[in-house]
Amino acid sequence: MEVQKTATFRSLSENVGQFSLRDKTFLIPEMNRIGAHLLTGAFRSFGVNALVMETYEGLDLGKEFTSGKECFPCQVTTGDILFFLKKEKERLGDDFNPENYIFFMPESDGPCRFGMYNKYQRIVLDSFPEFRKVKIGSLTSENSYALKGMIEKAQARDFRKAAYFSVVIADILDRLLWRIRPYERKQGATDGFIERSMMTMADSFESYGAKKGFNRILDKLEEIVEEGKALIDPDIPPRPLIGIVGEIYLRTHVHSNQDVIRLLERYGAEVVNSSIAEWVDYTTYDKVREAKVGLRLNFKLFRFDKVKSYLKQILSYGGDLLYQHIRLDQAYKRVKPLLDLAGDHRVAHLEKTLIKHDLYSFELGTEACLSIAGIMEFMHEGYNGVVNVYPFTCMPSTITTSIMRPIMNRERIPFLDVPYDGTYQPGREATIRTFMYQVCQHFKRHGRKKHS
Ligand code: SF4
């Protein structure tokens, strides 16, 4: 009994972590579709055979091998990997070698359950003898998603830069989609255009990512924005503007959120979802913040060896954050003169907003930091409504609602919670229609501001 227990825990520490990707197939789950493809392009540029797995096709498997108490993204991604491996095994027959694959499942520290997905998925994979040797490659927000051991040491820094840039460009392509689609001249034209553009940009990352040819990538992006602009019918009047906050997987995975942005657009909205770069910036920013706290504390206690180590961390993570800001600004500066796309929030500004209004603290962590401050920003920027999209029972999103709903009621700004668990709720569309009625009333009274 003891031996078995030890063996199980050994699997968690030995088969979940950071492994060299050389000569492996690196399986990327599709969260945000564009982001997954661009990141795959960045990996490929560094010689990693990365591929995006089909998503949501294996939901039945995901539900079969979870108890129902897990967060919904855990069920979806468990289904994705099982579905992929089963199909791959059928395709290759005896040639299937589980050691050739590494499944990508990052994690996050903190009080909620994201840190446990990959452990749970390890247990599920271990329950299939044929999949036991499939490793789970994990990055953690604990060290701001450093890539220790996964990519050759000499390339790791450059890869991190290309990967971050792929996140920023994916955000911009998404913003382009939401900016054009409600105003398109020809119905359905935007979806096809964005799908083609995504493939073009993924190729661009594959060609220029490792060479740090960021200007070449931006040249391509400019062409795409110019082309996309031509799809807009200038005679369609501006629509009411809605901001989306919430849990990162659910708000960006269109299958899981039952394409809520398209539904809001169908009832007359223009929508802006919070970006993914904001989350990456937040994890880096938080490392700097924590190091500053450690530095102050240890300075007071005269522990100078620790002071030195915290100083090093501040410089290292601070340098990363500065680099991220420079790249983010570079990208938005190239596209904003062409089309008025929504910008990104600085995390330092979001923290100041929370402190100023005494709403929440970065000390408590989780996405609630970004969602609560993000709603305040949408409010200040004159949005006509805010939607909080999250998995049923998600802790940070429930905290967000409990803090922000009374404020939104007081400010008379329409606010809607939409939790998802994979079931289709018959009343959902009626709720969204009612919400959109309130949004339109707000728009009539207050108009809307331009994207800042
Ligand atoms: S953020 Fe929400 S959905 Fe994600 S792990 Fe935490 S509780 Fe679960």
Side-chain angles (χ1 to χ4, degrees), residues 196-229:
R196 286 193 306 280
S197 304
M198 175 186 81
M199 291 305 179
T200 306
M201 291 313 295
D203 290 346
S204 200
F205 270 94
E206 189 170 344
S207 308
Y208 302 117
K211 296 180 201 154
K212 287 190 271 180
F214 299 129
N215 275 322
R216 302 292 289 271
I217 293 171
L218 285 174
D219 290 344
K220 216 9 114 215
L221 182 69
E222 267 188 8
E223 283 170 26
I224 287 172
V225 175
E226 286 285 11
E227 201 186 324
K229 211 169 131 182

Side-chain angles (χ1 to χ4, degrees), residues 71-73 112-115 117 247-248 367 391 393-397:
C71 301
F72 187 45
C112 77
R113 293 172 273 189
F114 185 42
Y117 288 13
E247 191 271 340
I248 193 163
E367 271 185 295
T393 76
C394 173
M395 187 196 73
S397 302

